[in-house]
Amino acid sequence: MITSPSAYARLVGDVLDRIARQDAEGLVPELLALAEMIDDHWGFEGLRAADALRAADAGFQARVVHRLVDRYHALEPGTVQRRGIVRLLTALRTLAPVKNGSPATRAALIRLAAEQQVHHHPRELVRLAELELAEGRELPGPFVAVVRRSLLILWNGRSELGALAGRLTSPVVNPGEAWADHALADLEDLGDDWHRLVAHAATATSARPSAAWERKGRALLDAVGAKDAGERLRAWLRLVGRPRTQPLEAAYPSTDLDETFDPYNAVALRGLAWTLSLLPPHPDTARVLGALVETSLKKVAGLGPRNPKVANAGVVALSRVDGEPALAELARLATRVTYKGTLKLLDSALRTRAAALGLSREEVEELAVPAYGLTEVGRAEHRLGDVTAVVEVHGSRAVLGWRTAAGRTVKAVPAAVRRDHAEELKELRTTVKDVDRMLTALSERLDRQFLARRTWPYAVWRERCLDHPLAGTLARRLLWTVDGTAVGYADGALRTLTDDPLPDGAEVRPWHPVDHEPAQVAAWRDWLERHGITQPFKQAHREVYLLTDAERATGTYSNRFAAHILRQHQFHSLAAVRGWHNKLRLMVDDEAPSAVRELPQWGLRAEYWIHGDGDGYGEDTLESGSYLRLRTDQVRFYPIDAPQNSAHCCGGEYRMAARGGAEPVGALPLTDIPPLVLSEVLRDVDLFVGVASVGNDPTWQDGGPGGRYRDYWTSYGFGELNQSARTRRTVLEHLVPRLAIAGRCALEGRFLHVRGERHTYRIHLGSGNVLMAPGDRYLCIVPKAGTGPQTGYLPYEGDRTLAVILSKAMLLAEDTKITDPTILSQL
């Protein structure tokens, strides 16, 4: 914005002087300086300069345009200065070079337009195109792409853009994305039928393929050949989601266009997914479509999911593909997808399959788990010449190993396999990735069975869970209740707490600690440790949340997890993964419902009351107006069919809007909630706080924006331990004495004390934050993603904070070996 009237007047005078003298070379830097000063408001502050340039002769205008375009291409993509040049040329859109200038000038403007996400003055875009076409020149593909994108994104100029876009049939998809570039390169060597097939895919604008659309698609597939079509379509779709090959300037700087889909190509992707489902089933088809769904739902800053419509098209296509792989992919996605619309489609697809088979949805999901070639629980061997490939499941990951003809085990792929069995090697590596993805989905599904009240007939359970080649690798690391007797799997059999083998039973359900006395739970923890079993998630060490005196006093609500500050988007994602429904709080919204988890098997609905926090747009929100942080409040329970409670997004009282003359329904007494339900719901909420609290951020010791969260950060980061942190302390009591640094460590209260050579340190068992003696100075250590210490046996997987605490302890115990300059500067 203008900083000084005198400076502004001088700069405008210089610009007018340059225009009068027709000094194009000297004018461009003056124009850019003026653009920065007036914040690109050429229609207001810069009006005198803009009018003077419009009044200049066409030759001078052409020189200015060329120099501005040259300057644009000399700048780094995405810079403010680039956007300023585009806005300046937009403000000068009535210049003579655009109307009737030389082909070279128009080419420069076309090249610049082609690098934009959209062109905000469609008539000028159409005018450029018409002049080029009238002179017999072909429009470049990137320019055709901006015409199409502008038609789909902008509200103005649709009639002119639509008429132009209807004439531009080449290229058949927009260049600039990896998959589209690959497709266009292939199409150069293919016949007209292939062009018609892809053009037909680009008409997929409905939610599902119509009968007419499908008939035409099948006819075109017959023309190109099913086998060739399947191979090419799968090859193209595998590339979806890779960064753009031709960068674009964003219309909104907050959006990373490298991570988005071209909206025109997104329509074609929907059609290509549907087209793939019309072909005979192929093992890779389900894999490709499943990856397309997940890629399309990847979150992009400032946008949200990349393109839910493409994801939905992938689900529709999967639901139309016969065979076990497609059903398995639908079941896997149902545990991974959190976007509500796509999740609804997945649920519908699975229910439709279940109804057709006369089974429940749960049974269909279990039957859909593939073996992935495993011939025994967690293991398979494949002979490749003289070498044997061994696929084994270790924990929650699959590992590919090798055994030579001499019987020696090696990790590296033998040269003979790379040379003579490249395709088999590729398939094995793909299988390992598929197993990893399915193991994650299976683990999450099993973790949800406590609230699902799932039970199995014994024989069915053994077939689908315990003895299944893949599911068995998880089921054999869990505890179960068979006809009321708690059992675990060890030494090749189901065994009781006293290691006695269990004979066959009748009914099986998951074991939960809330149903057992603390002494029995502790005994099962010792049993797991004795047998060296690491559980895929917390079960024996699962936190149990029983009613407190404070909750008996409040009667209908729990304040146990109130008054916390959470990162909204992290909370939102985590809540969706745990089966909760939530709406992002926006500063511009009036009201939003509470975060809820519906429990149909119990006839209950749990609510977590939350509000947006802060009142500074930009400081407390994203550009979209979405709050960065939330304040938390009560947890309540209602009948599942009770009307929803809602409150203003930025705070205020929650109210129940009963409709049709119905009376509001009160919250249920906490004493009426089954202990397992109460414990699991409060465990979810504790997880939300434990993961999403700003108190966990080691860089927030200054208290965040304006320092207003300093007290909360300190109280959370070093305060009393919550239930999950107390569980962590129990694990560390067993684990620390076995560490190489045990002599330097001691557990005292809320902290793990670590004695280094330079200082003594205290690591908080809840947040992982570190205090350093003397003076309890805060030591900021930002953990690296994916790193963790090698500590031997751990009783369960998935506790990142435990791994962070152990990593910090090992680092600080040998603090003289620290080389990180950021840490050294604090010691």
Side-chain angles (χ1 to χ4, degrees):
M1 298 299 292
I2 299 172
T3 55
S4 163
S6 59
Y8 168 66
R10 284 197 301 272
L11 189 52
V12 170
D14 289 343
V15 167
L16 295 176
D17 180 61
R18 299 279 188 187
I19 294 172
R21 293 189 287 111
Q22 295 197 352
D23 179 8
E25 185 173 351
L27 175 62
V28 166
E30 300 278 6
L31 280 173
L32 297 181
L34 180 58
E36 184 176 0
M37 180 176 286
I38 64 176
D39 199 21
D40 297 319
H41 291 165
W42 292 101
F44 184 58
E45 291 96 341
L47 188 58
R48 289 178 61 200
D51 284 345
L53 190 52
R54 291 190 192 104
D57 69 70
F60 175 65
Q61 290 178 3
R63 294 198 301 274
V64 172
V65 167
H66 278 284
R67 281 173 171 76
L68 284 170
V69 172
D70 288 343
R71 177 62 177 155
Y72 171 91
H73 291 298
L75 293 166
E76 285 293 320
T79 57
V80 174
Q81 293 82 1
R82 266 196 164 203
R83 289 192 292 273
I85 291 173
V86 173
R87 292 190 182 104
L88 171 57
L89 288 169
T90 298
L92 304 177
R93 60 188 180 276
T94 56
L95 288 178
V98 178
K99 290 183 176 181
N100 50 22
S102 69
T105 304
R106 288 202 302 274
L109 292 171
I110 285 172
R111 183 181 169 206
L112 184 142
E115 293 194 11
Q116 310 308 306
Q117 181 189 20
V118 297
H119 193 291
H120 285 284
H121 289 278
R123 290 182 180 176
E124 300 305 322
L125 194 64
V126 172
R127 180 65 172 161
L128 280 172
E130 295 288 2
L131 289 169
E132 289 292 288
L133 293 172
E135 295 180 10
R137 277 183 285 274
E138 184 177 347
L139 295 175
F143 182 81
V144 174
V146 76
V147 171
R148 292 167 171 168
R149 287 193 299 269
S150 299
L151 173 62
L152 292 171
I153 295 175
L154 299 179
W155 287 101
N156 60 317
R158 288 197 167 186
S159 58
E160 299 97 325
L161 283 172
L164 174 62
R167 297 163 53 195
L168 304 178
T169 58
S170 180
V172 67
V173 291
N174 287 349
E177 294 180 325
W179 79 265
D181 290 351
H182 191 173
L184 291 172
D186 283 352
L187 290 172
E188 288 182 3
D189 300 322
L190 298 172
D192 291 342
D193 288 331
W194 264 103
H195 286 259
R196 283 191 283 270
L197 177 66
V198 178
H200 178 61
T203 66
T205 56
S206 58
R208 291 177 178 271
S210 66
W213 192 96
E214 183 175 337
R215 280 196 302 273
K216 184 173 181 180
R218 289 186 183 279
L220 290 167
L221 284 172
D222 289 341
V224 301
K227 182 179 180 181
D228 188 30
E231 291 176 356
R232 291 189 187 276
L233 294 182
R234 286 188 291 269
W236 298 348
L237 293 179
R238 286 190 189 98
L239 300 176
V240 173
R242 295 191 181 184
R244 288 190 59 84
T245 56
Q246 298 175 19
L248 295 176
E249 293 294 327
Y252 304 98
S254 60
T255 302
D256 182 0
L257 292 184
D258 269 358
E259 295 294 327
T260 64
F261 289 173
D262 184 300
Y264 183 85
N265 286 354
V267 178
L269 283 175
R270 295 165 69 188
L272 293 175
W274 294 346
T275 302
L276 190 57
S277 72
L278 302 177
L279 294 167
H282 185 280
D284 282 347
T285 294
R287 185 182 294 146
V288 167
L289 290 173
L292 178 67
V293 173
E294 290 188 292
T295 299
S296 302
L297 292 178
K298 181 181 177 182
K299 297 288 183 65
V300 177
L303 177 68
R306 273 174 169 163
N307 200 297
K309 289 184 178 180
V310 174
N312 293 349
V315 172
V316 169
L318 273 171
S319 69
R320 294 159 60 90
V321 176
D322 292 329
E324 181 185 274
L327 183 57
E329 199 64 23
L330 287 169
R332 185 188 70 81
L333 289 170
T335 68
R336 303 294 296 158
V337 167
T338 60
Y339 185 75
K340 190 173 182 180
T342 306
L343 193 57
K344 184 177 179 180
L345 276 178
L346 285 164
D347 183 67
S348 175
L350 286 169
R351 290 186 185 280
T352 299
R353 289 285 182 97
L357 296 171
L359 301 170
S360 69
R361 173 182 160 167
E362 291 77 12
E363 290 177 298
V364 166
E365 289 188 50
E366 291 165 3
L367 290 171
V369 179
Y372 293 109
L374 301 175
T375 53
E376 55 186 290
V377 175
R379 195 172 191 278
E381 293 188 359
H382 302 271
R383 190 78 174 174
L384 303 179
D386 293 333
V387 178
T388 301
V390 182
V391 178
E392 290 185 302
V393 176
H394 294 171
S396 294
R397 298 294 303 274
V399 177
L400 178 60
W402 303 91
R403 191 170 63 245
T404 65
R408 187 165 59 92
T409 299
V410 295
K411 292 183 178 179
V413 181
V417 172
R418 291 197 301 267
R419 182 186 64 243
D420 302 330
H421 303 278
E423 285 301 315
E424 293 96 324
L425 175 61
K426 180 181 177 182
E427 181 60 29
L428 282 171
R429 285 172 166 168
T430 302
T431 297
V432 165
K433 292 179 181 178
D434 288 344
V435 168
D436 286 348
R437 294 191 306 161
M438 183 57 79
L439 281 171
T440 300
L442 280 174
S443 180
E444 292 176 356
R445 187 186 305 159
L446 286 168
D447 196 13
R448 295 179 184 179
Q449 297 308 309
F450 301 111
L451 283 176
R453 307 183 84 171
R454 185 81 169 98
T455 61
W456 297 262
Y458 181 81
V460 171
W461 171 75
R462 289 213 61 136
E463 178 188 356
R464 298 179 187 172
C465 297
L466 195 70
D467 298 330
H468 187 278
L470 184 61
T473 64
L474 302 176
R476 292 185 177 189
R477 295 191 285 138
L478 295 173
L479 301 178
W480 303 89
T481 300
V482 179
D483 297 339
T485 300
V487 296
Y489 187 90
D491 300 326
L494 288 170
R495 299 183 183 277
T496 65
L497 190 57
T498 56
D499 277 341
D500 296 319
L502 182 79
D504 292 353
E507 184 182 79
V508 183
R509 61 184 177 86
W511 180 97
H512 194 285
V514 78
D515 301 322
H516 303 275
E517 294 297 323
Q520 190 179 27
V521 173
W524 274 112
R525 292 177 180 178
D526 292 339
W527 185 91
L528 290 167
E529 183 175 351
R530 186 168 72 250
H531 289 285
I533 297 173
T534 297
Q535 298 199 290
F537 50 81
K538 287 184 184 179
Q539 187 191 28
H541 289 78
R542 202 173 189 85
E543 299 81 10
V544 174
Y545 299 80
L546 303 177
L547 273 180
T548 63
D549 290 340
E551 288 161 346
R552 289 189 180 92
T554 56
T556 58
Y557 61 89
S558 170
N559 272 329
R560 200 183 304 198
F561 301 105
H564 286 282
I565 306 297
L566 310 185
R567 292 177 288 265
Q568 172 170 219
H569 294 82
Q570 190 173 16
F571 162 76
H572 183 70
S573 296
L574 186 59
V577 168
R578 296 298 301 171
W580 290 67
H581 301 297
N582 179 56
K583 181 180 179 182
L584 287 173
R585 269 59 180 169
L586 274 70
M587 190 174 283
V588 297
D589 279 356
D590 290 329
E591 290 196 351
S594 56
V596 302
R597 180 167 184 181
E598 294 183 343
L599 306 164
Q601 294 85 353
W602 305 86
L604 297 172
R605 182 182 75 232
E607 296 192 3
Y608 191 23
W609 291 5
I610 54 177
H611 305 280
D613 185 76
D615 53 14
Y617 184 86
E619 181 180 61
D620 295 313
T621 71
L622 295 175
E623 190 168 325
S624 64
S626 175
Y627 281 104
L628 292 170
R629 291 167 289 276
L630 299 171
R631 285 176 286 115
T632 67
D633 204 334
Q634 303 171 6
V635 175
R636 295 187 175 219
F637 292 86
Y638 292 87
I640 195 168
D641 56 355
Q644 186 85 38
N645 285 295
S646 62
H648 198 282
C649 287
C650 62
E653 181 182 359
Y654 270 88
R655 299 179 303 278
M656 182 176 287
R659 297 177 180 175
E663 292 294 324
V665 178
L668 296 170
L670 295 180
T671 52
D672 291 351
I673 306 303
L676 187 146
V677 174
L678 178 71
S679 184
E680 284 297 296
V681 167
L682 292 182
R683 182 177 183 269
D684 275 355
V685 177
D686 194 359
L687 177 68
F688 302 155
V689 173
V691 173
S693 171
V694 299
N696 286 323
D697 191 334
T699 66
W700 267 51
Q701 68 268 29
D702 61 352
R708 63 180 186 268
Y709 302 109
R710 186 177 290 110
D711 290 343
Y712 171 76
W713 185 87
T714 302
S715 65
Y716 181 88
F718 301 103
E720 293 298 325
L721 301 182
N722 60 13
Q723 190 66 38
S724 60
R726 290 197 288 271
T727 300
R728 196 173 295 129
R729 191 186 196 285
T730 301
V731 173
L732 287 169
E733 286 174 349
H734 290 270
L735 187 60
V736 168
R738 304 172 185 175
L739 300 178
I741 59 170
R744 292 182 171 270
C745 297
L747 280 165
E748 295 182 18
R750 304 188 298 268
F751 295 91
L752 173 63
H753 292 243
V754 181
R755 178 171 50 82
E757 295 294 335
R758 299 171 183 263
H759 302 282
T760 298
Y761 310 90
R762 294 194 299 158
I763 307 174
H764 190 260
L765 302 180
S767 64
N769 290 336
V770 182
L771 294 175
M772 178 172 57
D776 274 351
R777 292 172 291 153
Y778 175 69
L779 176 60
C780 180
I781 302 176
V782 180
K784 295 180 180 178
T787 58
Q790 299 298 317
T791 57
Y793 172 76
L794 288 174
Y796 52 82
E797 299 170 353
D799 188 345
R800 184 175 183 273
T801 302
L802 176 61
V804 167
I805 291 170
L806 291 169
S807 293
K808 289 182 177 181
M810 293 182 175
L811 176 75
L812 297 173
E814 298 184 328
D815 54 3
T816 56
K817 297 181 180 179
I818 293 174
T819 58
D820 188 314
T822 304
I823 301 175
L824 285 174
S825 65
Q826 302 175 73
L827 298 180

